[in-house]
Amino acid sequence: MHMPARPLSDSDDRTVEIVDVPEASRFEVRLDGRTVGLADYLRTDALVVYPHTEIDESLNGLGLGSALARAVLDDARERGLPVLATCPFISAWMLRHPEYRDLAYQNRSRVAD
């Protein structure tokens, strides 16, 4: 998965891209080619877990975290994988965006203590 480079905003000529780096098990947010954020993942044939995300604090408020969340969740949807979001940011983002709630992993175990 690779989100094509796009301008950060209409008034900003910096470019943002989000790239899957499978050898590192993470997505990276790149601003003008420099890695400024990431979302670690654990991916199996049955689900994808997002345990941790981070964005360079000096870039807070630019929408990079939301762009990252949308990209990783779109990737899970394309792969047909439910998402176990143990990362508080991804989990909260999914709750605020109902169009992604259907991706939330549901434990279907019938095991009882």
Side-chain angles (χ1 to χ4, degrees):
M1 195 264 178
H2 177 91
M3 183 191 89
R6 62 172 177 77
L8 184 58
S9 70
D10 291 338
S11 60
D12 193 325
D13 61 353
R14 295 178 290 179
T15 57
V16 175
E17 64 182 331
I18 298 174
V19 179
D20 185 4
V21 185
E23 61 274 12
S25 297
R26 70 184 195 186
F27 285 88
E28 293 181 351
V29 179
R30 297 177 183 165
L31 184 61
D32 288 337
R34 181 175 66 98
T35 300
V36 296
L38 60 89
D40 292 323
Y41 63 77
L42 304 164
R43 188 185 297 144
T44 72
D45 292 337
L47 81 150
V48 61
V49 180
Y50 293 110
H52 175 74
T53 60
E54 62 184 70
I55 299 290
D56 182 323
E57 288 183 17
S58 70
L59 300 170
N60 282 351
L62 297 179
L64 297 174
S66 288
L68 177 60
R70 188 174 307 280
V72 303
L73 295 171
D74 285 346
D75 180 75
R77 187 179 308 282
E78 287 174 17
R79 293 173 186 273
L81 295 174
V83 172
L84 178 57
T86 59
C87 168
F89 178 80
I90 297 291
S91 178
W93 197 92
M94 288 177 75
L95 288 174
R96 288 191 313 273
H97 294 85
E99 66 273 24
Y100 288 95
R101 289 185 193 156
D102 64 303
L103 291 174
Y105 172 77
Q106 301 294 318
N107 183 354
R108 304 212 190 307
S109 175
R110 302 270 184 221
V111 176
D113 289 335

